[in-house]
Amino acid sequence: MKPSLLVARAIFPEVLQKLEQVFDVTSNQTDETWSKAQLTNKLQGKVGTLTTGTDRIDAEVLAACPQLKICANMAVGYNNFDIAAMTAAGVLATNTPDVLTETTADFGFTLMMATARRMTESEHYLRAGQWTKWSYDMFAGSDIHGATLGILGMGRIGQGIAKRGAHGFGMNVIYHNRSRLDAASEDACKARYVSKEELLKTADHLVLVLPYSASSHHAIGAAELALMKPTATLVNIARGGIVDDAALAAALRDRRISAAGLDVFEGEPAIHPDLLTVPNVVLTPHIASASVPTRLAMANLAADNLIAFFTHGKALTPLNAA
Ligand code: GLV
């Protein structure tokens, strides 16, 4: 008998077919949004599940699903998993590192450029039929080349953004991270380690790429925004909750910083209403890893983790030692 698997969200049909060769699959190909109670209910009797960042696996879910052995997240971030609870319950957690690094770094850079050069604000103006003449300062933004790029969270994706800035655009790169990179990695990114305070005060463009946890909750709030230059931009491609969205909307409205680019939001897909009314923000719906080849690679890696675990007893990219 094949092991029972729940695929909690819609995925590529070819990946589903691959899973069906090994598992008895129940899948959510209609992509309904399940509540935690519905997810718990669907997980009954399942030994494995393929989840996305919106599916919460915590002690309550685990207690109600004693057969569960592995949860394979189709995301590099895994703040939807309570890893301590999973380890205690003997449930393996996996994520999808590496396969999305370059695509996500591309997007972080894109969002930074769109923010600095006021791309969406100017497009909305044009679409609204407001463009009637050339003006010397129309949608004049800030430069990327030669500017100081600040990165908070210097993991794989942060380093990818740093390399793009340093080597492609002649940016002066500074970063802050829980731990400092080794000298070779700093050299490869041409990046200089600074305190968080110096990062906030010095960056012309600040990009957030740190993981979400209790300790990074509101890492950027009113006090941090007050340290930034009034000409600076802020980009968040990490997770909602790292930025205090209400404080950011107020800072954007009062022009305490010049602009922001946000791919992630507190409580997404709900958006803080004030962010929808300020013009100087570029908003995208959590799509940083969304190129077709990368999303396919992520789905395949999540599936391969499940297959490897059930066929050889060992996952490819485990997060815990359950
Ligand atoms: C996307 O946000 C991911 O963590 O992969």
Side-chain angles (χ1 to χ4, degrees):
M1 213 171 71
K2 291 177 180 171
S4 295
L5 182 79
L6 178 71
V7 177
R9 298 294 307 272
I11 56 163
F12 295 89
E14 59 266 48
V15 179
L16 204 54
Q17 277 160 22
K18 175 162 81 170
L19 286 166
E20 281 165 351
Q21 288 172 14
V22 180
F23 299 101
D24 176 11
V25 178
T26 303
S27 72
N28 181 9
Q29 277 306 89
T30 54
D31 218 16
E32 296 161 54
T33 307
W34 288 337
S35 65
K36 194 162 107 170
Q38 285 171 312
L39 175 65
T40 306
N41 187 39
K42 302 272 182 193
L43 277 172
Q44 292 310 303
K46 305 292 183 296
V47 290
T49 181
L50 191 154
T51 53
T52 65
T54 55
D55 306 306
R56 176 97 186 124
I57 303 289
D58 60 14
E60 205 184 344
V61 174
L62 294 164
C65 305
Q67 280 104 333
L68 199 58
K69 294 267 166 286
I70 175 170
C71 300
N73 220 27
M74 186 185 145
V76 68
Y78 49 89
N79 55 302
N80 56 312
F81 286 172
D82 181 337
I83 295 287
M86 292 175 80
T87 307
V91 174
L92 189 71
T94 68
N95 68 340
T96 57
D98 302 321
V99 292
L100 50 58
T101 300
E102 298 304 328
T103 295
T104 306
D106 281 352
F107 188 86
F109 213 85
T110 303
L111 191 52
M112 177 178 73
M113 295 190 79
T115 301
R117 297 301 304 272
R118 306 175 64 180
M119 293 286 284
T120 55
E121 194 186 345
S122 59
E123 187 188 345
H124 292 153
Y125 174 88
L126 180 152
R127 284 180 186 271
Q130 291 172 297
W131 183 30
T132 54
K133 61 181 191 314
W134 182 92
S135 311
Y136 77 97
D137 61 349
M138 186 169 63
F139 294 107
S142 51
D143 278 324
I144 296 292
H145 72 274
T148 295
L149 167 60
I151 298 183
L152 186 58
M154 198 63 151
R156 289 166 287 226
I157 298 167
Q159 290 176 50
I161 295 170
K163 284 177 188 155
R164 283 160 176 75
H167 300 292
F169 289 79
M171 299 182 86
N172 165 39
V173 181
I174 54 177
Y175 77 99
H176 183 74
N177 198 42
R178 271 174 308 185
S179 47
R180 189 172 167 173
L181 298 183
D182 59 40
S185 305
E186 283 190 352
D187 276 359
C189 299
K190 292 197 189 170
R192 186 166 62 86
Y193 182 79
V194 295
S195 67
K196 182 175 171 189
E197 186 175 338
E198 187 178 343
L199 185 83
L200 292 165
K201 286 182 169 165
T202 316
D204 294 314
H205 304 291
L206 177 61
V207 182
L208 310 179
V209 210
L210 66 168
Y212 180 77
S213 66
S215 61
S216 63
H217 182 73
H218 286 187
I220 302 293
E224 289 75 19
L225 290 162
L227 291 176
M228 292 176 68
K229 297 178 183 179
T231 49
T233 71
L234 173 72
V235 163
N236 186 9
I237 57 163
R239 277 290 181 273
I242 289 176
V243 174
D244 176 345
D245 285 349
L248 175 61
L252 290 167
R253 186 196 56 220
D254 300 343
R255 304 276 167 174
R256 275 181 270 125
I257 66 168
S258 81
L262 304 174
D263 187 47
V264 288
F265 305 87
E266 285 190 283
E268 64 186 49
I271 310 288
H272 192 291
D274 294 351
L275 285 174
L276 297 172
T277 61
V278 285
N280 46 342
V281 61
V282 179
L283 306 168
T284 53
H286 201 148
I287 55 167
S289 66
S291 74
V292 175
T294 291
R295 283 286 166 86
L296 184 58
M298 291 165 69
N300 269 311
L301 180 51
D304 291 344
N305 267 310
L306 292 159
I307 293 168
F309 178 72
F310 281 102
T311 52
H312 313 298
K314 212 166 155 38
L316 306 173
T317 51
L319 290 164
N320 61 354

